[in-house]
Amino acid sequence: MFRNIILRNTTRRFLSVKNQPSIGKFTGKPNPSTGKFTVSFIEGDGIGPEISQSVKQIFDAAKVPIDWEPCDVSPLFINGLTTIPEPAVQSINKNLVALKGPLATPIGKGHRSLNLTLRKTFGLFANVRPAKSIEGFKTIYDNVDLVIIRENTEGEYSGIEHVVTPGVVQSIKLITRDASERVIRYAYEYARAIGRPRVIVVHKSTIQRLADGLFVDVAKELSQEYPDIQLETELIDNTVLNVVSNPSSYSNAVSVCPNLYGDILSDLNSGLSAGSLGLTPSANIGHEVSIFEAVHGSAPDIAGQNKANPTALLLSSVMMLNHMGLNNHADKIEKAVLSTIASGPEGRTGDLAGKATTSSFTDAVIGRL
């Protein structure tokens, strides 16, 4: 059973876990000799090393009590399955928390998604994606404040597919009661913690009667335990229309959905709030391990050119610090990052129509700490 999750943050933007739930609780301890926590760092591919360096510099300037442990997750293909190296598994299981830059899955070698492999390996059942407008940075929509919680381990992403006959492929969508209950219960608790009175289950049970029907049924059963939270169900196509037409109608709700719908909706929400995945943080919550990641791609076309926007990884690191209980450091870094973006074109990278480089943006954030 969950205890309260408390969002503690000057902009009320990210997941903070001052009083943590029993599921997904960070139980790591600092090194008694240094007083610092060790965090596994998957720097990623393409622009990953550059934006990772930005995070390291800002954390150092902010005197965050963290030691980074490099973590190589270059995929291995063993017995027909994509796996990550055992040293990486040991590191993350030991530290219980990791920060991850963008990863590129090797093409043409039979590997499945590295992101999916990580989620499966560590049982990261809930993907939490907040999407909120940044004050001072104008986009098409104003005052967007959306939260998606996505089931992270099954659905269409289970990877169960086969050739029935030449030219005919069958892909199986897996939905289980256990996984559905985990993520939906988390959504109820999260909504209660951040003071949102509505949980919206997004589904397509008119077509996927058994699979999505089970997801909806579990939500209705759990609703009896949360009389203070209003349960609503909504077809995925209606959600897409409604959130584009009037995103403010979801500002007092938490949406929860199976894997594929959550993948699509979370990117849509990012576009509405910021117009870019370069500003979007993400948390992957498991029973013991949690991994925080930038959700944008590895952008190999601009790698090494000092053009990359480190904001998404920085804001993901803010979520990570809140998860670890380092709330003051999280607030300090978040305020510096958002005020830099709000300062104008000189404080924004090219993807935000600005003039800043990766390094000049990093220096500007450090100057505001």
Side-chain angles (χ1 to χ4, degrees):
M1 186 63 65
F2 285 70
R3 282 171 264 156
N4 286 336
I5 310 168
I6 294 180
L7 207 75
R8 180 190 179 279
N9 187 299
T10 53
T11 62
R12 310 299 292 175
R13 184 179 176 86
F14 302 120
L15 175 67
S16 176
V17 278
K18 185 177 179 181
N19 295 320
Q20 296 195 31
S22 57
I23 183 171
K25 180 180 180 180
F26 177 66
T27 58
K29 304 294 182 184
N31 185 319
S33 62
T34 65
K36 295 183 178 182
F37 295 90
T38 302
V39 174
S40 302
F41 204 154
I42 305 167
E43 295 193 1
D45 305 312
I47 61 172
E50 296 169 75
I51 61 177
S52 297
Q53 181 61 28
S54 175
V55 171
K56 291 176 181 178
Q57 290 176 329
I58 290 168
F59 270 51
D60 185 58
K63 296 181 170 55
V64 182
I66 278 179
D67 286 323
W68 301 108
E69 185 168 274
C71 200
D72 178 15
V73 295
S74 300
L76 303 174
F77 205 52
I78 300 174
N79 296 327
L81 297 175
T82 300
T83 60
I84 61 176
E86 185 59 28
V89 175
Q90 293 176 359
S91 170
I92 296 171
N93 278 330
K94 170 177 63 74
N95 298 327
L96 303 177
V97 64
L99 185 64
K100 184 183 82 62
L103 289 175
T105 300
I107 298 174
K109 298 183 180 180
H111 290 290
R112 72 175 178 180
S113 163
L114 274 174
N115 291 325
L116 179 59
T117 300
L118 284 167
R119 292 165 189 164
K120 289 279 192 179
T121 300
F122 299 104
L124 308 176
F125 64 87
N127 179 235
V128 183
R129 287 275 296 273
K132 185 173 180 177
S133 299
I134 295 178
E135 185 177 352
F137 178 61
K138 177 66 177 174
T139 59
I140 296 174
Y141 293 87
D142 295 321
N143 302 317
V144 175
D145 189 359
L146 305 168
V147 177
I148 279 279
I149 297 180
R150 164 191 174 192
E151 199 291 314
N152 219 15
T153 62
E154 50 183 35
E156 292 85 352
Y157 290 29
S158 299
I160 307 170
E161 57 182 7
H162 59 274
V163 176
V164 178
T165 190
V168 179
V169 174
Q170 185 177 55
S171 183
I172 297 175
K173 172 179 177 174
L174 179 68
I175 298 284
T176 67
R177 174 173 290 275
D178 286 347
S180 299
E181 181 172 344
R182 277 198 307 265
V183 73
I184 293 169
R185 186 180 294 280
Y186 192 89
Y188 275 118
E189 292 288 339
Y190 187 56
R192 176 181 284 174
I194 65 174
R196 296 198 175 195
R198 302 160 61 208
V199 163
I200 301 174
V201 174
V202 181
H203 66 99
K204 191 66 175 178
S205 65
T206 51
I207 303 300
Q208 300 281 328
R209 292 182 174 87
L210 294 179
D212 285 17
L214 174 60
F215 197 83
V216 172
D217 288 345
V218 169
K220 290 178 178 178
E221 293 169 10
L222 288 176
S223 68
Q224 299 176 26
E225 300 179 29
Y226 300 92
D228 54 320
I229 304 294
Q230 177 182 336
L231 173 65
E232 302 172 28
T233 63
E234 192 169 84
L235 294 174
I236 176 65
D237 37 339
N238 290 339
T239 302
V240 171
L241 175 61
N242 294 339
V243 78
V244 171
S245 302
N246 185 17
S248 64
S249 66
Y250 293 85
S251 61
N252 67 342
V254 170
S255 299
V256 60
C257 44
N259 208 329
L260 179 60
Y261 310 150
D263 193 6
I264 296 168
L265 279 177
S266 56
D267 279 14
L268 173 64
N269 290 354
S270 297
L272 296 176
S273 64
S276 169
L277 288 179
L279 301 179
T280 304
S282 177
N284 297 286
I285 305 298
H287 289 289
E288 295 182 345
V289 169
S290 293
I291 297 179
F292 299 80
E293 63 176 338
V295 297
H296 55 70
S298 58
D301 56 318
I302 62 168
Q305 299 178 35
N306 200 27
K307 295 180 178 179
N309 184 355
T311 301
L313 191 61
L314 281 164
L315 295 183
S316 297
S317 75
V318 167
M319 294 183 77
M320 180 190 75
L321 291 175
N322 283 322
H323 174 70
M324 298 172 70
L326 300 173
N327 307 98
N328 291 335
H329 294 284
D331 292 346
K332 184 178 179 180
I333 292 172
E334 181 189 27
K335 182 179 179 180
V337 170
L338 297 184
S339 63
T340 299
I341 295 171
S343 67
E346 297 295 334
R348 301 170 190 162
T349 48
D351 60 315
L352 303 179
K355 302 176 181 179
T357 62
T358 309
S359 55
S360 69
F361 178 84
T362 302
D363 291 340
V365 172
I366 290 173
R368 285 177 167 83
L369 288 173

